[in-house]
Amino acid sequence: MSVMRYAEALRLAMTEEMERDDRVFICGEEVGQYQGTFRVTEGLLERFGARRVVDTPISETGISGLATGSAMAGLRPIAEFMTWSFALEAMDVLVNHAAKITYMSGGRVKCPAVFRGPAGTGNQLSAQHSQSLEAWYAHIPGFKIAMPATPEDAKGLLKTAIRDDSPVIFMEHAGLYAQRGEVPDDPEFTVPFGLAAIRRTGSDVTLISYSHMVGSCLKAAEVLEKEGVSCEVIDLRTIVPLDTEAITASIRHTHRAVVAQEEWKSVSIVSELASLIYELCFDDLDAPVERVGGPMTPMPYAKNLERAAIPNEKNVIEAIRKVLA
Amino acid sequence: MSVMRYAEALRLAMTEEMERDDRVFICGEEVGQYQGTFRVTEGLLERFGARRVVDTPISETGISGLATGSAMAGLRPIAEFMTWSFALEAMDVLVNHAAKITYMSGGRVKCPAVFRGPAGTGNQLSAQHSQSLEAWYAHIPGFKIAMPATPEDAKGLLKTAIRDDSPVIFMEHAGLYAQRGEVPDDPEFTVPFGLAAIRRTGSDVTLISYSHMVGSCLKAAEVLEKEGVSCEVIDLRTIVPLDTEAITASIRHTHRAVVAQEEWKSVSIVSELASLIYELCFDDLDAPVERVGGPMTPMPYAKNLERAAIPNEKNVIEAIRKVLA
Amino acid sequence: MTKPAVETNQKELVSKEEMLSLYRLMLLIRRFEESTYRKYREGKIGGYLHRYDGQEALVAGIIPQLRKDDYILCTYRDHAHALACGTDPRHVMAELMGRATGCAYGKGGSMHLIDPDNGFYGGDGIVGGPVPIALGVGYAIKYRGGDQVCVCYFGDGAFNQGGVHESLNMSALYGIPVLFILENNKYAMGTRVERSTHQSDFLLKARAYGIEAERMDGMDVLEIRSRTQSIISNMRRESKPYFIEMNAYRFLGHGVADNPQQQKFYRSESEIEEWKNRDPIHLLGRKLEKMGWLDDSEKEQIEESVKLDVEEAISYAERSPEPAIEALYEHVYG
Amino acid sequence: MTKPAVETNQKELVSKEEMLSLYRLMLLIRRFEESTYRKYREGKIGGYLHRYDGQEALVAGIIPQLRKDDYILCTYRDHAHALACGTDPRHVMAELMGRATGCAYGKGGSMHLIDPDNGFYGGDGIVGGPVPIALGVGYAIKYRGGDQVCVCYFGDGAFNQGGVHESLNMSALYGIPVLFILENNKYAMGTRVERSTHQSDFLLKARAYGIEAERMDGMDVLEIRSRTQSIISNMRRESKPYFIEMNAYRFLGHGVADNPQQQKFYRSESEIEEWKNRDPIHLLGRKLEKMGWLDDSEKEQIEESVKLDVEEAISYAERSPEPAIEALYEHVYG
Ligand SMILES: Cc1ncc(C[n+]2csc(CCOP(=O)(O)OP(=O)(O)O)c2C)c(N)n1
Ligand SMILES: Cc1ncc(C[n+]2csc(CCOP(=O)(O)OP(=O)(O)O)c2C)c(N)n1
Ligand SMILES: [Mg+2]
Ligand SMILES: [Mg+2]
């Protein structure tokens, strides 16, 4: 085990996989000479050379094509979006090509590409930059989606993503890059997809989230512990595949659930989780599921408005109180 | 009243609005000289000239920019996507520009553009063409979304869309273009946004859907009527704004609900509807809400597989039987 | 003989056997395409259906000289490309009919033929779609240090897609061995080239990215064959992109729905007739005849053998089962 | 004087008053920009922050000669454009501080300044983003039969965005009066132009769409002023696009995070120094001095008055309230 930042854990995952497998390479804007906009790819150009760490023009469609096509031809590319917002420029390649080529070809061609980069809200980046669209990708069959909440998972999930034969949407959270934590040194350490982590056990209510929001759930759980409320906190780690067993097992036990995410609330991951929970646990539920999500407004710039627009532990606490009422 | 096809009703709406308001114009691929890929814009070039019926290159980003920018500058464009699948090429303009400019500018600039075209599945068009992503747009604040199920609504909703000061996602269904129905002649006839239509009243179960799926719900209702089951069928007509009152009023009465759509089931409109119904009607519900939606697979080409992949009245009937069980 | 110099030159490069096999390939494509409309009208083929009639030389002049480890990508107008790659006509027809024996097991259909074993990485339903993909495929070649090439076909209309521009730029920037073949058949559906761009010399567009570019007569399979030979062998040595604008023509409508009546909205019958006078199959046939390499009975023989292939493809496809329903859920993930 | 011919020519075109006002505007922009880093470090400005230092002539040479009913769009590097459009510096600073009195009521921030009353249709956080929008704005001009122009600024890095290509093509196709200003400041973040395209003559790229194009010295405000004057009046008469590549330089890092240490990864200090020797403000100042139109005390006076403007903008912004929380839910729809 070593203590390192989330961003370093990602770098370690890529370094190890690039050492292990010559087919793995990285491409994206400023990933090389500039050392990465968020330093995630720092030092990799020097280590692996320009063949395997490819600085690109500001051409998200081209970048996605580079990754998708090279994956179809047998490489294992990692394409970095400077932020996931810019993937909006590449939706056709992602959705109509990367996600579907395996199916359209009857499995004759695969697309083992990882698309990664920072997502999430915050930092007054305002409407065009501050958003993450995991709900979109989860609506599209063909993608797997990982959203790590800890440095350990950042490493373990990214390694699994690189080794997976499907296109993986890998969403990091800019607000987590500096977070420190223990990370296994073992180069064979991976975190399997579809296996949620119980971050805290509890008996009164199940809090289900992923990525940055897991921290808010844990904080909420701590606050409510003082009031004698025992919260179980589930970190989904991957949205697709989804660990429905972990969810149902917990709710069978707590009979109450709060589902929380940072993103827009309507037609979202929490919508799916809530309706799924009803379908799977209708008789176990003692109260309606509470959804925590962002308000249906673009992200405003002003600090006070932004604060009001990003769900935090207070919103989770409110939701818990509601399901317990 | 005149009897006409859905496609003709759309054309009538555009013709009337172009007569009424010189700021309204149409742009898109093959909308003019070719007379429209699906004949929706037939004759409009001859009637209104090339200034107001603009044939474009195959440049969906450019088309969307043409509409968004000209709307910001005071026109009222109608941009046609040859099919909604191709809007994947224009996601940045749609989501990061059209939907957000009003908010980002504090309301100083508006974007009264209509983006329209055929959506929906079917006709063996396979993975890249056969899809509609209303769930995506509904996740994004700033868009209004209309999806007419009848010729009358096609006319009335499109006229409302053109007159609206927000960007409107207007999804037609290729499978409905040839459907005939009565359409009011009155050039001031419009259908307001956010007002669902009760297509059939009933007391045992509420079926909620929109667009082509309304027909399947009506067929299911007819079949089950013979078994003594009384179905209420709600056609949402617009997804955003959503007529939650119509939904809750009906469920308060029937205590059971089936939500049905043609598109992928996960993280979708029916996910949102189901979780919303639980939130709004938890105590009124006698059974879990049933979701009908497409399987999580890209659309296959083979006739038999496609048939199995597109939800129809049989799936609705099954769902009804489940909520009644 | 109108261009004796070139002819001589080509004679050296293209043997009798090869010329005959190009003739046969083009004829196979033509007869195969003709049969698809019949099958469509019988309701055995569904979805969209785009024929390649008139453009046969664009694939015949290039694909047969490629190696099995080269890559080919193209648009939805892809039956010809599959056949030129050597995909069994039976598997192509079975795919068009949505059968389990189709080259994509019935999941792809007309627009999504694919056959990686023969280097064919697929048709693509999205205008401009194959171009970013080709960039990546080409990068894989370069990455592995191979001397293969990737040939990417796309249409004149596709040049107006932003992704095409990004990919052309990146292919030149990195020196990626993609041979871009612009199938300039003058129309994108009903839109004539001049109605989609103010400056319709595509060579200038390609050169703006620093890509070497030239134009060829898309009706003359021997010209294409001989001129591309050196281009391709150069690319194998130098790893860089190349761009060819093919001066071609689409004899039929864009797809099934674009029937002769519909075509009147955007082109004249006399224009079509003029181009048909330069039918690439007849052009090559006449050359072969003049050289004494093809007489009427040999022609008849080829015609017969092609006809048999097409009939066999149809009967194979019709005898083939639909995919099992479970296949619906297979191949969603890699 | 190095270029006397042009100077004389410019003297005729640009009056003393105008030259002084351009000088003042560029200085205001420079001082305003300098203050933003201070306020950022104080935590009063958040988000991303991109300064225009060194590029002032690109806006000063063009925007002041426009009419109030013309349109201007640009990138996230937009403070200068707003100020040149005549947006009150107080409302610009208030926007940067996220106040209710900001030009976007605090909702936009640095990257999304906007002021439609002064023809400024906004900064844009998306690289290449303003170009498709400008196409539409320009179409509205043509549609209404007006003689306005739309000026669209974008970066050298943005030229690699597909949407830019689609829009350039369509603007030429329809004859839309957009003046495209390529702010070629040599870098896109840390990527030098030659590392993002194999063929870096942007004029060839613009001309590939049939757009008339030329290059200008982006450090010489008078050259820009006089050469664009006739271009713009032509555009008003003829309704067609025009493209200018501005040879410019970004004195500072891309944004706040791109500090001098970071810049070492991609450019040398001596390169920066070389360009700073041609600082557009100093160039114009020296010209004014040589003409006897600006002495030290007058210079000092302008410096003082600009300083006051910036201080007043800051104090206004700091006194202004944050937006009301209800504003969060306002303006989602039109
Ligand atoms: C992104 C996208 N936009 C629109 C379409 C619809 N469409 C299919 S083919 C076609 C015309 C393409 O013309 P061209 O590129 O010249 O190829 P050709 O059909 O002539 O071979 C259009 C507009 C599409 N498939 N994809
Ligand atoms: C589509 C998109 N991709 C990436 C970014 C991140 N980004 C912001 S500015 C920038 C560099 C742009 O360079 P250039 O166009 O030359 O403009 P300059 O900053 O030099 O004025 C990048 C990569 C973005 N905002 N949008
Ligand atoms: Mg064409
Ligand atoms: Mg730049």
Side-chain angles (χ1 to χ4, degrees):
Chain A
M1 287 285 182
S2 307
V3 171
M4 65 181 76
R5 293 181 206 276
Y6 184 97
E8 290 164 336
L10 294 166
R11 192 187 311 140
L12 180 59
M14 291 190 280
T15 308
E16 286 177 3
E17 293 305 301
M18 288 174 79
E19 293 286 2
R20 194 183 62 85
D21 185 348
D22 184 63
R23 295 170 303 171
V24 180
F25 77 100
I26 296 172
C27 59
E29 296 158 18
E30 309 295 356
V31 295
Q33 189 181 320
Y34 195 82
Q35 306 299 315
T37 308
F38 293 88
R39 283 282 179 285
V40 175
T41 55
E42 189 175 351
L44 296 185
L45 173 64
E46 290 67 26
R47 183 159 183 166
F48 295 104
R51 168 175 164 266
R52 301 184 69 192
V53 181
V54 183
D55 274 324
T56 66
I58 310 172
S59 304
E60 283 77 9
T61 296
I63 294 167
S64 303
L66 190 64
T68 302
S70 63
M72 286 167 60
L75 301 188
R76 305 190 81 83
I78 305 169
E80 174 174 306
F81 292 118
M82 196 178 279
T83 84
W84 267 101
S85 285
F86 310 143
L88 284 169
E89 303 281 6
M91 271 314 142
D92 178 72
V93 179
L94 296 182
V95 169
N96 256 344
H97 292 85
K100 293 178 182 167
I101 185 63
T102 303
Y103 196 83
M104 290 192 298
S105 69
R108 295 185 75 185
V109 174
K110 293 194 196 315
C111 182
V114 177
F115 299 94
R116 54 159 287 277
T121 58
N123 244 327
Q124 285 191 268
L125 298 186
S126 70
Q128 291 181 326
H129 284 66
S130 206
Q131 62 193 328
S132 65
L133 295 172
E134 63 267 23
W136 278 24
Y137 300 101
H139 183 53
I140 306 295
F143 291 127
K144 297 184 180 176
I145 307 174
M147 297 187 72
T150 69
E152 176 171 351
D153 281 1
K155 178 180 176 188
L157 290 171
L158 185 49
K159 288 171 70 87
T160 302
I162 294 168
R163 296 179 187 192
D164 200 288
D165 276 343
S166 303
V168 177
I169 302 295
F170 195 92
M171 289 187 168
E172 302 149 15
H173 197 294
L176 291 175
Y177 278 143
Q179 204 193 77
R180 292 169 161 284
E182 298 243 308
V183 174
D185 299 319
D186 178 5
E188 276 314 305
F189 162 76
T190 58
V191 172
F193 280 8
L195 193 71
I198 313 294
R199 295 289 177 203
R200 183 187 171 114
T201 56
S203 52
D204 296 330
V205 56
T206 303
L207 314 183
I208 303 163
S209 67
Y210 53 87
S211 189
H212 194 270
M213 204 68 194
V214 173
S216 306
C217 288
L218 287 169
K219 277 185 213 154
E222 260 174 56
V223 170
L224 288 182
E225 186 178 33
K226 289 170 198 145
E227 302 181 15
V229 177
S230 162
C231 299
E232 181 140 312
V233 177
I234 296 183
D235 173 359
L236 293 172
R237 308 208 281 196
T238 57
I239 309 292
V240 180
L242 185 66
D243 188 350
T244 48
E245 271 181 42
I247 296 171
T248 52
S250 178
I251 294 174
R252 219 171 289 130
H253 185 60
T254 61
H255 306 292
R256 288 176 160 82
V258 170
V259 289
Q261 75 183 18
E262 197 175 292
E263 265 312 290
W264 292 306
K265 190 171 163 181
S266 288
V267 195
S268 68
I269 303 294
V270 294
S271 313
E272 177 63 25
L273 290 173
S275 54
L276 207 60
I277 289 170
Y278 289 113
E279 284 166 12
L280 299 173
C281 314
F282 194 70
D283 295 329
D284 293 315
L285 279 178
D286 286 348
V289 179
E290 275 296 317
R291 288 190 281 169
V292 175
M296 293 305 289
T297 76
M299 189 60 70
Y301 168 75
K303 223 182 237 177
N304 65 327
L305 296 184
E306 191 198 44
R307 213 179 294 124
I310 304 179
N312 59 22
E313 63 268 26
K314 281 189 208 116
N315 305 91
V316 178
I317 291 171
E318 259 172 58
I320 298 173
R321 292 202 205 283
K322 265 199 187 164
V323 291
L324 290 170
Chain B
M1 288 283 185
S2 308
V3 172
M4 64 182 77
R5 292 181 207 279
Y6 184 95
E8 289 164 335
L10 293 166
R11 191 187 312 140
L12 180 59
M14 291 190 278
T15 308
E16 286 178 2
E17 293 304 299
M18 288 175 80
E19 294 285 3
R20 196 184 58 85
D21 184 348
D22 184 61
R23 297 169 304 170
V24 180
F25 77 99
I26 297 171
C27 59
E29 295 157 18
E30 309 295 357
V31 296
Q33 189 181 318
Y34 195 81
Q35 307 299 315
T37 307
F38 293 89
R39 283 283 178 286
V40 176
T41 54
E42 187 175 352
L44 296 186
L45 173 65
E46 290 66 27
R47 182 157 183 167
F48 295 104
R51 169 176 165 264
R52 301 187 69 191
V53 181
V54 183
D55 273 325
T56 66
I58 310 173
S59 304
E60 283 78 9
T61 296
I63 294 167
S64 303
L66 190 65
T68 301
S70 63
M72 286 167 60
L75 301 187
R76 306 191 80 85
I78 305 169
E80 174 173 308
F81 292 119
M82 196 177 279
T83 84
W84 267 101
S85 285
F86 310 145
L88 284 169
E89 304 280 5
M91 271 314 143
D92 178 73
V93 178
L94 295 182
V95 170
N96 256 342
H97 291 84
K100 291 178 182 167
I101 186 63
T102 303
Y103 197 80
M104 292 193 296
S105 69
R108 294 185 74 186
V109 173
K110 296 193 194 317
C111 181
V114 177
F115 299 95
R116 54 159 288 276
T121 59
N123 243 329
Q124 286 188 269
L125 298 185
S126 71
Q128 292 181 326
H129 283 66
S130 206
Q131 62 195 329
S132 64
L133 295 173
E134 61 267 23
W136 280 22
Y137 300 99
H139 184 52
I140 305 296
F143 290 127
K144 296 183 178 175
I145 307 172
M147 297 188 71
T150 68
E152 176 170 353
D153 281 0
K155 179 181 176 188
L157 289 171
L158 185 50
K159 288 171 69 87
T160 301
I162 294 168
R163 298 181 186 190
D164 200 289
D165 276 343
S166 304
V168 177
I169 302 294
F170 196 93
M171 290 187 165
E172 301 149 15
H173 197 294
L176 292 176
Y177 278 144
Q179 202 193 78
R180 292 169 161 282
E182 298 243 308
V183 174
D185 299 320
D186 178 6
E188 275 315 305
F189 162 76
T190 59
V191 172
F193 280 10
L195 193 72
I198 313 294
R199 295 291 176 203
R200 183 187 170 115
T201 55
S203 52
D204 296 329
V205 55
T206 304
L207 314 182
I208 304 163
S209 68
Y210 52 88
S211 189
H212 193 269
M213 204 67 195
V214 173
S216 305
C217 288
L218 287 169
K219 279 185 212 151
E222 259 174 56
V223 170
L224 287 182
E225 186 178 34
K226 289 171 198 140
E227 302 181 15
V229 177
S230 161
C231 300
E232 182 140 312
V233 176
I234 297 184
D235 173 0
L236 292 172
R237 307 208 280 197
T238 58
I239 310 293
V240 180
L242 185 65
D243 189 351
T244 48
E245 269 182 45
I247 296 172
T248 52
S250 176
I251 293 174
R252 216 170 292 131
H253 184 61
T254 61
H255 307 290
R256 287 174 159 86
V258 170
V259 288
Q261 75 184 17
E262 195 174 294
E263 265 314 290
W264 292 307
K265 188 170 165 182
S266 289
V267 196
S268 68
I269 302 294
V270 292
S271 314
E272 176 63 25
L273 290 173
S275 53
L276 206 61
I277 289 170
Y278 289 114
E279 283 165 12
L280 298 172
C281 315
F282 195 69
D283 295 330
D284 293 316
L285 280 178
D286 287 347
V289 178
E290 275 297 319
R291 288 190 282 168
V292 175
M296 293 306 289
T297 77
M299 188 60 68
Y301 168 74
K303 226 182 233 177
N304 65 328
L305 297 184
E306 191 198 43
R307 212 178 295 122
I310 303 179
N312 59 24
E313 63 267 25
K314 282 190 206 113
N315 305 90
V316 178
I317 291 170
E318 259 172 57
I320 298 172
R321 291 202 206 282
K322 264 199 188 164
V323 291
L324 289 170
Chain C
M1 281 195 283
T2 42
K3 292 182 286 176
V6 178
E7 289 269 20
T8 323
N9 184 26
Q10 283 165 357
K11 226 182 194 165
E12 283 163 23
L13 287 167
V14 188
S15 67
K16 176 182 173 190
E17 286 65 40
E18 194 177 351
M19 276 174 72
L20 284 171
S21 92
L22 296 183
Y23 181 81
R24 188 187 191 285
L25 172 60
M26 294 202 291
L27 198 68
L28 172 68
I29 292 170
R30 181 69 58 86
R31 297 295 174 253
F32 187 95
E33 291 290 46
E34 286 164 356
S35 79
T36 62
Y37 269 26
R38 290 198 298 275
K39 291 295 139 185
Y40 183 88
R41 270 184 241 106
E42 288 172 23
K44 292 198 169 128
I45 297 177
Y48 290 142
L49 184 61
H50 313 88
R51 280 169 55 173
Y52 210 63
D53 304 49
Q55 303 179 217
E56 293 87 352
L58 311 191
V59 300
I62 294 175
I63 296 178
Q65 60 173 305
L66 296 176
R67 299 196 322 230
K68 274 294 169 212
D69 60 346
D70 289 327
Y71 296 87
I72 297 94
L73 290 110
C74 68
T75 74
Y76 41 85
R77 198 178 298 287
D78 62 353
H79 312 164
H81 304 71
L83 293 172
C85 284
T87 306
D88 189 327
R90 296 177 307 163
H91 300 154
V92 176
M93 188 57 82
E95 189 59 36
L96 300 188
M97 295 197 194
R99 306 303 168 112
T101 53
C103 60
Y105 306 122
K107 279 188 167 158
S110 164
M111 299 193 285
H112 305 295
L113 301 177
I114 196 161
D115 186 7
D117 298 342
N118 281 303
F120 185 42
Y121 274 66
D124 195 323
I126 300 302
V127 169
V131 186
I133 306 302
L135 171 73
V137 169
Y139 190 74
I141 294 172
K142 187 182 171 80
Y143 188 92
R144 287 190 285 242
D147 65 348
Q148 301 116 285
V149 296
C150 174
V151 183
C152 178
Y153 289 83
F154 63 107
D156 47 284
F159 217 113
N160 303 310
Q161 274 290 335
V164 170
H165 144 111
E166 297 186 10
S167 308
L168 290 174
N169 183 57
M170 288 170 76
S171 72
L173 179 65
Y174 301 131
I176 294 182
V178 179
L179 177 57
F180 295 102
I181 304 293
L182 186 77
E183 298 167 311
N184 185 354
N185 60 9
K186 310 297 172 294
Y187 292 90
M189 290 187 64
T191 304
R192 207 181 153 78
V193 171
E194 294 74 22
R195 294 211 303 128
S196 73
T197 185
H198 185 57
Q199 191 294 102
S200 51
D201 181 342
F202 288 99
L203 302 189
L204 295 185
K205 293 178 201 266
R207 288 175 187 146
Y209 303 107
I211 302 178
E212 265 184 89
E214 61 184 282
R215 191 173 289 115
M216 293 186 191
D217 176 359
M219 295 303 187
D220 186 344
V221 68
L222 296 181
E223 178 184 331
I224 297 172
R225 168 67 185 73
S226 57
R227 285 173 67 186
T228 54
Q229 185 171 35
S230 57
I231 290 169
I232 291 170
S233 59
N234 260 339
M235 286 174 69
R236 294 197 194 283
R237 275 196 307 274
E238 285 184 43
S239 188
K240 60 177 187 183
Y242 205 94
F243 180 93
I244 303 172
E245 179 185 343
M246 293 291 187
N247 189 15
Y249 199 73
R250 196 190 71 205
F251 287 176
L252 291 179
H254 170 71
V256 185
D258 187 18
N259 56 37
Q261 201 53 35
Q262 173 68 30
Q263 290 171 53
K264 290 201 177 120
F265 285 118
Y266 65 86
R267 64 177 182 179
S268 68
E269 275 175 44
S270 64
E271 181 186 284
I272 302 172
E273 280 319 305
E274 232 167 85
W275 279 95
K276 280 193 174 166
N277 286 337
R278 303 200 62 245
D279 185 320
I281 303 178
H282 296 174
L283 279 188
L284 178 60
R286 259 176 287 158
K287 263 180 207 156
L288 279 162
E289 284 165 4
K290 281 203 177 137
M291 287 165 150
W293 290 349
L294 186 70
D295 64 22
D296 279 1
S297 87
E298 284 161 331
K299 235 172 144 178
E300 194 50 43
Q301 239 177 321
I302 297 177
E303 186 73 66
E304 267 310 302
S305 110
V306 159
K307 194 176 156 201
L308 276 179
D309 277 7
V310 173
E311 273 168 14
E312 168 53 19
I314 292 171
S315 107
Y316 175 86
E318 291 182 344
R319 286 192 319 265
S320 294
E322 291 189 314
I325 283 294
E326 303 77 59
L328 176 60
Y329 301 97
E330 287 164 9
H331 306 307
V332 177
Y333 298 105
Chain D
M1 279 195 283
T2 41
K3 293 183 285 178
V6 177
E7 290 269 21
T8 324
N9 185 28
Q10 283 164 1
K11 225 182 198 167
E12 283 165 20
L13 286 168
V14 188
S15 66
K16 177 184 171 188
E17 286 62 45
E18 196 177 352
M19 276 174 73
L20 284 170
S21 90
L22 295 183
Y23 181 80
R24 189 185 190 285
L25 172 61
M26 293 202 292
L27 198 69
L28 172 69
I29 292 170
R30 182 68 59 85
R31 297 296 173 251
F32 186 96
E33 291 291 45
E34 286 164 359
S35 79
T36 61
Y37 269 25
R38 290 199 299 278
K39 291 295 139 185
Y40 183 88
R41 273 186 238 104
E42 287 172 25
K44 292 199 171 126
I45 296 176
Y48 290 142
L49 184 62
H50 313 87
R51 280 168 56 173
Y52 210 62
D53 304 47
Q55 302 179 219
E56 292 86 351
L58 310 190
V59 300
I62 294 174
I63 297 178
Q65 60 173 307
L66 297 176
R67 299 197 321 231
K68 276 293 168 212
D69 62 345
D70 288 327
Y71 296 86
I72 297 95
L73 290 109
C74 69
T75 75
Y76 42 84
R77 199 179 295 288
D78 61 352
H79 312 163
H81 304 71
L83 293 172
C85 284
T87 306
D88 190 327
R90 298 178 305 163
H91 300 153
V92 176
M93 188 57 81
E95 189 59 36
L96 300 188
M97 295 199 194
R99 306 303 168 111
T101 53
C103 61
Y105 307 121
K107 279 187 168 160
S110 165
M111 299 193 285
H112 304 295
L113 300 178
I114 195 162
D115 186 7
D117 296 343
N118 281 303
F120 184 43
Y121 274 65
D124 194 323
I126 299 302
V127 169
V131 187
I133 307 301
L135 171 72
V137 169
Y139 190 72
I141 294 172
K142 189 183 169 79
Y143 189 90
R144 286 189 287 242
D147 65 349
Q148 300 116 285
V149 296
C150 173
V151 183
C152 178
Y153 289 84
F154 63 108
D156 47 284
F159 216 113
N160 303 310
Q161 273 291 336
V164 170
H165 145 111
E166 297 186 10
S167 307
L168 290 174
N169 183 57
M170 288 169 77
S171 73
L173 179 64
Y174 301 131
I176 293 183
V178 179
L179 177 56
F180 295 102
I181 303 293
L182 186 76
E183 298 168 310
N184 185 354
N185 59 10
K186 310 296 173 294
Y187 292 91
M189 286 187 67
T191 303
R192 209 183 150 76
V193 169
E194 294 73 23
R195 294 210 304 128
S196 73
T197 185
H198 185 57
Q199 192 294 102
S200 51
D201 181 342
F202 288 99
L203 302 189
L204 295 185
K205 293 178 200 264
R207 288 175 189 146
Y209 303 108
I211 301 180
E212 263 184 270
E214 60 185 283
R215 192 174 288 114
M216 293 185 192
D217 176 359
M219 294 303 184
D220 187 342
V221 67
L222 296 181
E223 178 183 333
I224 298 171
R225 167 69 184 72
S226 57
R227 285 174 65 187
T228 53
Q229 185 172 36
S230 58
I231 291 169
I232 291 170
S233 60
N234 259 339
M235 288 175 69
R236 294 197 193 283
R237 274 195 308 274
E238 284 184 41
S239 188
K240 59 175 187 186
Y242 204 94
F243 180 93
I244 304 172
E245 179 186 342
M246 293 291 186
N247 189 16
Y249 198 73
R250 196 191 68 205
F251 286 176
L252 292 178
H254 170 70
V256 184
D258 187 17
N259 55 38
Q261 201 52 36
Q262 173 69 29
Q263 290 171 53
K264 291 200 177 119
F265 286 119
Y266 66 87
R267 65 178 181 179
S268 69
E269 276 175 43
S270 64
E271 181 185 284
I272 302 174
E273 281 320 306
E274 231 168 86
W275 279 95
K276 280 193 175 166
N277 287 336
R278 303 199 62 245
D279 185 320
I281 303 179
H282 296 172
L283 280 190
L284 179 60
R286 259 178 283 159
K287 261 180 209 157
L288 279 161
E289 284 164 6
K290 278 202 179 144
M291 284 164 152
W293 289 351
L294 187 69
D295 63 22
D296 279 1
S297 87
E298 284 161 330
K299 232 172 146 177
E300 196 49 45
Q301 240 177 317
I302 298 177
E303 187 72 66
E304 267 311 302
S305 111
V306 159
K307 195 175 153 200
L308 276 179
D309 277 8
V310 173
E311 275 168 12
E312 169 51 21
I314 292 171
S315 109
Y316 174 86
E318 291 183 345
R319 286 192 318 265
S320 292
E322 291 188 312
I325 283 293
E326 302 77 59
L328 176 60
Y329 301 97
E330 287 163 7
H331 306 309
V332 176
Y333 297 106

